[in-house]
Amino acid sequence: MRSAVAFCGLLASLIVAAPASATECAGNPGALGTSRTIVVDPSEHNLLGGHQYRESLPLNDKEVVITFDDGPLPPYSNRILEILAQECVKATFFMVGRMARAYPKIVRRVYDEGHTLANHSQNHPFNFHRMSVDDAAREIEGGFESIAAAVGDPAKVAPFFRFPGLLRQDSVEHYLRSKQVMAWSVDFMADDWTRINSREVVRRALDRLEAKGKGILLLHDIQPATALGLPDLLHELKARGYRVVHVVPATAERPRTASTPEQWVVRHAPSRDQAAFRDPWPRAFPHRVRATAALLETPSITSFGAETVDDTVPVTLVSPPEPLRGTDREVAIPTIWPEEVITIAALPEVDLLPAPEAANFRYNRVARGHAKKDKNRDRRRPNREVTHSINPDITGSVHDTGNRQPKAGKAGNGSKNSNGNKSGRARSAARPGDLIGHQILISSPQTSLAARR
């Protein structure tokens, strides 16, 4: 008797786990099918999807949950439903409330064909991460009411909600938790809302699924590229050994699927940067995350044309070509320097250097201003004497010795100098600490014009 009861329980679980397997798909014995159904309780796990949260569905390897956003919209939603029916695949549709009111027949068809109805807000605003909780609540409740009105029964709408654009915020998540509504994010996406063709949609979906191994896939049933590429996507999923899992909410008659807390934990939890900037998807997210330890590879001998990375590499150093200037043309003649072949050590390929930052290229504005003034002063007084000062960091500064003697007259009131040019207001000798720019100065003999003559 006990064995018979156990057998009946196992048989019932198998029926729930595989309501639409490939063998039951009429007219298509090679269909992908739906391998099993997971029943979830939003009161226990209310934040879902490894793209933004630390939990996702308790899936096994090679299992995928297919979700669609933004519909319904004919003819694309209709075509997607036909493709899913041919393959006996069940999905979750996150519908926009006003779209559901516009096309209630599609909403009813989605439910009648065994898919899950879920909420994607009433009007799909792109400021969910900034709006007040009251405004967000109106969008959320309006979406549930519109979908329920289209299908004819609020109980037929799952307590699942996905933020438009995944623009989440903590306060709205708290509101959803108080209403026992599960907030769905994603594990990977196919970028089908961008301007890419159907082949690229399929390629990105498969590549990212291969990288994750399992998870929640985001698609959009309002995109023509998605409708065109869905048959190839489902075919490739079956060819690569993936299985589709359907998700429904728990009810009094339908208890949740047994699972352990560890099964919900995302294999690769989001980083701190992802957790901090998980709201502005998909537009600005890549640009707002700043690398904390950017590294660059050090140049090695192979960076300069060597064909080997041995410890010692013979290299002939050649100077840059020196142009030979003529009357009508220039000829580049390479000059060998030095003539002998030397041996230098190759740098390890694994060495890393910190990437330069903007601070490495900062220029002193005061110094630049002084340099500009001094340049103008040099043009007025080309024969002034200079002194040179080399500081420990091999930067020089030029100081006026103050030896220029203006002619008699009103100082600074337009008197002319020895060259006949008007001089400005009389200036005192520059202070030794005045900085006019970063320079390396080479001293030259200080001779007067009389000596040169």
Side-chain angles (χ1 to χ4, degrees):
M1 181 65 181
R2 185 175 302 175
S3 301
V5 172
F7 175 77
C8 292
L10 178 60
L11 181 60
S13 64
L14 290 176
I15 293 175
V16 173
S21 63
T23 56
E24 299 174 359
C25 195
N28 189 6
L32 174 60
T34 302
S35 64
R36 67 185 180 114
T37 297
I38 293 179
V39 183
V40 297
D41 185 353
S43 64
E44 294 183 355
H45 304 275
N46 63 295
L47 301 177
L48 202 64
H51 182 73
Q52 294 176 296
Y53 305 123
R54 297 187 178 276
E55 286 190 343
S56 190
L57 289 168
L59 300 175
N60 301 320
D61 290 337
K62 292 277 189 175
E63 287 187 338
V64 58
V65 174
I66 300 176
T67 65
F68 294 93
D69 281 10
D70 293 358
L73 180 65
Y76 310 115
S77 298
N78 294 327
R79 177 58 181 154
I80 285 174
L81 288 172
E82 293 172 2
I83 297 168
L84 296 176
Q86 292 171 3
E87 294 290 333
C88 290
V89 168
K90 305 302 179 186
T92 300
F93 287 79
F94 288 88
M95 295 184 174
V96 176
R98 64 179 182 180
M99 304 291 284
R101 287 189 178 273
Y103 306 103
K105 290 183 179 180
I106 302 180
V107 179
R108 291 192 291 269
R109 178 181 176 182
V110 169
Y111 180 82
D112 292 340
E113 294 185 4
H115 305 288
T116 300
L117 293 175
N119 184 10
H120 198 39
S121 80
Q122 174 65 16
N123 298 292
H124 200 286
F126 276 105
N127 61 339
F128 245 95
H129 58 309
R130 297 191 303 268
M131 66 171 51
S132 66
V133 177
D134 291 339
D135 291 340
R138 281 190 289 270
E139 280 288 334
I140 295 169
E141 300 305 329
F144 278 119
E145 292 173 2
S146 295
I147 301 170
V151 74
D153 184 359
K156 295 180 179 180
V157 184
F160 301 160
F161 177 79
R162 178 175 281 161
F163 287 96
L166 302 187
L167 299 174
R168 45 77 55 201
Q169 61 169 305
D170 293 340
S171 57
V172 181
E173 289 170 353
H174 295 327
Y175 172 81
L176 293 172
R177 183 182 299 110
S178 68
K179 298 295 183 178
Q180 295 189 357
V181 175
M182 177 181 284
W184 280 56
S185 182
V186 301
D187 290 314
F188 62 100
M189 56 204 78
D191 301 342
D192 60 341
W193 69 92
T194 61
R195 295 181 179 178
I196 57 177
N197 57 37
S198 59
R199 293 187 301 274
E200 183 64 14
V201 170
V202 174
R203 186 192 68 80
R204 295 188 187 188
L206 293 172
D207 287 351
R208 293 167 183 177
L209 176 56
E210 292 281 355
K212 293 285 186 180
K214 61 181 180 179
I216 304 168
L217 168 63
L218 170 61
L219 296 171
H220 294 77
D221 61 322
I222 66 171
Q223 298 295 336
T226 305
L228 290 172
L230 187 59
D232 291 337
L233 175 60
L234 299 181
H235 176 77
E236 282 296 319
L237 289 177
K238 181 175 177 58
R240 301 186 185 196
Y242 286 94
R243 299 174 300 278
V244 174
V245 174
H246 187 210
V247 183
V248 296
T251 62
E253 299 78 19
R254 185 172 54 198
R256 64 176 179 83
T257 300
S259 61
T260 63
E262 292 77 14
Q263 291 178 292
W264 293 81
V265 177
V266 176
R267 183 179 303 174
H268 301 289
S271 64
R272 294 179 60 185
D273 289 330
Q274 287 176 319
F277 299 111
R278 58 190 176 181
D279 51 332
W281 174 91
R283 289 167 298 281
F285 175 79
H287 306 286
R288 291 179 60 182
V289 179
R290 180 179 178 181
T292 56
L295 298 174
L296 300 175
E297 293 184 1
T298 57
S300 70
I301 196 64
T302 57
S303 304
F304 304 96
E307 298 180 354
T308 177
V309 291
D310 296 339
D311 293 337
T312 58
V313 181
V315 175
T316 300
L317 301 180
V318 180
S319 65
E322 295 182 357
L324 179 63
R325 300 185 180 273
T327 58
D328 57 349
R329 62 191 182 92
E330 294 183 1
V331 181
I333 301 179
T335 303
I336 304 299
W337 178 90
E339 296 181 355
E340 65 273 15
V341 176
I342 63 174
T343 301
I344 62 176
L347 296 175
E349 293 288 344
V350 295
D351 285 358
L352 297 174
L353 295 175
E357 298 181 356
N360 299 125
F361 305 98
R362 189 182 308 157
Y363 194 87
N364 190 301
R365 294 185 178 179
V366 176
R368 180 163 45 192
H370 288 178
K372 184 175 181 180
K373 292 179 181 178
D374 190 75
K375 182 178 180 180
N376 296 331
R377 186 177 60 185
D378 289 346
R379 291 177 178 175
R380 294 194 299 269
R381 298 189 294 114
N383 298 325
R384 73 183 180 89
E385 295 181 0
V386 297
T387 59
H388 302 275
S389 172
I390 306 299
N391 61 17
D393 61 354
I394 323 179
T395 60
S397 60
V398 182
H399 312 293
D400 192 344
T401 59
N403 293 331
R404 181 172 62 85
Q405 299 293 333
K407 290 184 178 181
K410 293 182 180 181
N413 290 329
S415 61
K416 294 186 177 180
N417 58 20
S418 60
N419 293 328
N421 299 324
K422 285 187 177 182
S423 63
R425 182 178 299 173
R427 299 174 59 184
S428 61
R431 295 188 300 273
D434 286 346
L435 177 64
I436 65 168
H438 300 89
Q439 304 179 25
I440 298 179
L441 302 177
I442 303 176
S443 301
S444 60
Q446 307 264 335
T447 58
S448 63
L449 291 177
R452 291 180 181 175
R453 291 176 183 146

